[in-house]
Amino acid sequence: MQPTIQVLEELAREAGKILRAGYEQEHEIRYKGVIDLVTEVDHQSEAYLIDEIRKRYPGHKILAEESGVTSGSQDSVWIIDPLDGTVNYAHQIPIFTVSIGYSAMGRMSLGVVYDPMRDELYGAERNAGSFMNGKRIHSSEAIDLKKSLLVTGFPYDAWDTEYDNFGNYVRFAKQSQGVRRLGSAALDCCYVAAGRFDGFWELQLNPWDVAAGGLIAEESGAKVTNVRGKADYLSAPQSIIACAPGIYEQMLKVLNTPVDEKAQGG
Ligand code: IPD
Ligand code: CA
Ligand code: CA
C-alpha cells in the first residue's frame, strides 16, 4: 500500500511537536565528527517516525539519518531526516525542519518538510505542484544572477576536504545580491520553492537532506540538478542546484568554471 501526502504531513507535524517540545531543554550532545553533532531529540524524532512507518507500512524500506537502513521493499522507500538543522537546534536558533520523502519504484513521488517554529508545512506530490500550508507556491522569476538572493551550506568536514565549497561561496558572493547560510538544506530547498530565495546550491549532501525538499523545489517550477547539470541529485557524489530556471545556466557556469581550487563535489 502506498502512503498519501496527508500521511507524510501528519507524521511531519507529529515529529515537529517532538522538536518543539525539546527545543528549550538542555541537550545530551554526542559528536559524530569534530563539528558534527546529534542530540537526544534527533533520536526521539527519528524513533517516532520509524515506529509509525513500520506499523503502517511494514514492508517498506526506510533510510533515516541516525539509524541508516531499515530493510524492506526497494520499490517503496522512505527517506527521512528527523531534524535537519541540528546545529541550529542545539544552539536554540529556531531554524530547523523535519524532512520526509517517499520514493515509489525508484522515483521520488512525495515530499514533506515541516518547520515547526513557524508552523510552515511544505509538501509536493510528483506532477501535482508544491504547497505551503495548503497554498500553491512557485519558484521565483529571477533571470539575472546579479540581482538574485542565494543560499548555500557547508559540509561538516569542511576543515579537511578539498570540496569545502568556500571558493564557490566567494564567487557567488561577488556575483549575486548575496548568499545566506540558514543551516537546513531541506528548508533552503523550500525557500527556493516559495520564491524567497532565487537559488540554492550545496556539495557533499546526503539523500535525507534534500530528497523531500528537492521534489518540493522541482514541483514549484525550480530547476533542480546536481552541480554537474545531471538530473540525478540524490546519488553519490551528491550535490545540488535548485534555482529559478532563469538563473540556472548562470549558476551552473559559476560552479563549473575552472578556478585555482576544486569547486565541485559531484
Ligand atoms: C545539515 C544541514 C545543513 C547542511 C549540512 C547538513 P543536519 O544537516 O542541512 O544546512 O549545510 O550539509 O548536513 O546535520 O542538520 O541534519
Ligand atoms: Ca540534514
Ligand atoms: Ca539531521
Side-chain angles (χ1 to χ4, degrees), residues 42 65-66 81-86 208:
D42 293 74
E65 176 169 13
E66 309 306 337
D81 192 334
L83 199 181
D84 188 50
T86 297
W208 48 78

Side-chain angles (χ1 to χ4, degrees), residues 129-149:
S130 296
F131 295 82
M132 194 262 275
N133 291 350
K135 224 175 114 197
R136 189 79 199 255
I137 51 174
H138 299 280
S139 58
S140 90
E141 292 180 358
I143 49 167
D144 184 357
L145 184 59
K146 290 195 282 305
K147 296 199 174 85
S148 297
L149 187 62

Side-chain angles (χ1 to χ4, degrees), residues 210-211 214-215 218 224-226 230-235 238-240:
V210 289
L215 178 65
E218 282 184 55
V224 188
T225 68
N226 74 9
K230 299 214 168 79
D232 181 2
Y233 56 87
L234 293 180
S235 301
Q238 208 183 341
S239 64
I240 191 168

Side-chain angles (χ1 to χ4, degrees), residues 1 9 12 20 64 68 70 78 81 105 108 121-122 137 157 162 173 175-176 191 196 214 240 258:
M1 195 182 47
E9 288 173 356
R20 254 196 323 260
T70 305
W78 295 73
D81 192 334
M105 312 301 282
M108 289 307 304
L121 185 78
Y122 299 85
I137 51 174
D157 61 353
E162 58 187 332
Q175 296 182 60
S176 67
Y191 278 18
R196 292 174 176 173
I240 191 168

